[in-house]
Amino acid sequence: MAANARTWLITGVSSGLGAALAEAVLARGDVVIGTLRQKEQLAEFEALKPGRAHAVQLDLRDYGRVLEVVGRAAEQHGGVDVLVNNAGYGLAGALEEVSESEAREQMETNFFGALAATQAALPSMRRKRWGHVVNITSMAGFMGIPGMPLYSASKFALEGLGVALAAEAGSLGIRVTNVEPGALRTRWASGNAIVRSQRVLDDYQNTAGAVRSGLAKMDGRQDGDPVKAALAIIEAVDAEQPPLHLPLHPSALSAYRDVLGKTLEQLEEWRDVSEGILYD
């Protein structure tokens, strides 16, 4: 292992972007601590690069265990240089269709799990006065997706966490990049990565219903390459001035520009109202 090799902790490395990123990081000689939910997946991951690929079993819904496991892993490997909050899933269902338990499960995994992992990784970053937190959010992190409001809320929350952390810890040498992928050809649109609300209401068939059917049609046809996305993330981490926001897909970049443009237009339209609430 090279003396200047970095240690990455990537959550959710069993498949998709997490797996592609772990393999790309290992290929360049760095160390990867990868989290997986199933015990039988651990040996397979470590076999990728014995001695540099380290697997830990972790369920992000267990806040206390995330703090313990990530903190211990950081200590054993001399700290975490790059934390990638990648693990998560999508909850498909209109706001009115989603139950409290479904909503809480979504936030526990996508937001609170990432929060705990970040809190556990930060002490070693502070000591070294260098570190990089990469949050894998989504296009849903800057634009609300009809039919997936709780997923959108979890990603908006992760975006806000990243922006605030960048301002809070930037002077300590800690950088943050919120990565907003578009459609990558992974298993995200199928299998365990998508959970559908148990309740279904006919009035939302044109919105939430269309999203549910669209996910199935999209699966396997996405034109985004997860390997190229992984290399783009590495490029951002290596950059002297890394971006705070990194949309990854032409549709993500276009949508972000559209959201920003419409927001600016509306701000100007309502400027007098916004500024008119001061005391006379």
Side-chain angles (χ1 to χ4, degrees), residues 64-118:
R65 179 158 169 74
V66 175
L67 286 173
E68 175 191 348
V69 168
V70 174
R72 185 169 63 245
E75 187 176 317
Q76 290 173 344
H77 294 275
V80 172
D81 297 305
V82 185
L83 169 67
V84 183
N85 289 312
N86 167 72
Y89 71 94
L91 174 60
L95 187 68
E96 193 178 350
E97 294 174 333
V98 172
S99 69
E100 179 186 358
S101 63
E102 289 170 336
R104 289 186 181 277
E105 286 283 301
Q106 178 78 118
M107 296 303 293
E108 288 290 347
T109 300
N110 289 11
F111 176 71
F112 284 103
L115 170 61
T118 305

Side-chain angles (χ1 to χ4, degrees), residues 5 8 20 31-32 34 39 42 66 71 74 90 96-97 102-103 158 160 171 179 219 228 239 256 270:
W8 297 57
V31 174
V32 176
K39 186 176 181 179
L42 304 184
V66 175
E96 193 178 350
E97 294 174 333
E102 289 170 336
L158 191 55
S171 63
V179 177
D219 188 37
K228 290 182 178 179
Y256 213 144
W270 287 84

Side-chain angles (χ1 to χ4, degrees), residues 138-194:
S138 166
M139 290 174 64
F142 60 80
M143 57 182 292
I145 304 296
M148 302 189 76
L150 266 298
Y151 177 69
S152 299
S154 71
K155 294 303 188 179
F156 264 83
L158 191 55
E159 286 269 332
L161 185 78
V163 171
L165 178 62
E168 183 175 271
S171 63
L172 303 175
I174 298 169
R175 299 110 62 89
V176 178
T177 299
N178 289 333
V179 177
E180 299 107 357
L184 302 180
R185 192 171 299 175
T186 68
R187 295 192 314 220
W188 186 87
S190 63
N192 295 330
I194 289 289

Side-chain angles (χ1 to χ4, degrees), residues 9-16 18-19 22 32-48 53-61 65-66 69-70 86-87 187:
L9 194 150
I10 306 172
T11 64
V13 295
S14 62
S15 63
V32 176
I33 306 165
T35 77
L36 306 108
R37 288 199 302 164
Q38 307 299 326
K39 186 176 181 179
E40 57 269 22
Q41 297 171 323
L42 304 184
E44 182 180 354
F45 180 75
E46 293 191 337
L48 291 175
H54 305 278
V56 292
Q57 187 177 2
L58 189 61
D59 187 333
L60 289 179
R61 295 172 297 180
R65 179 158 169 74
V66 175
V69 168
V70 174
N86 167 72
R187 295 192 314 220

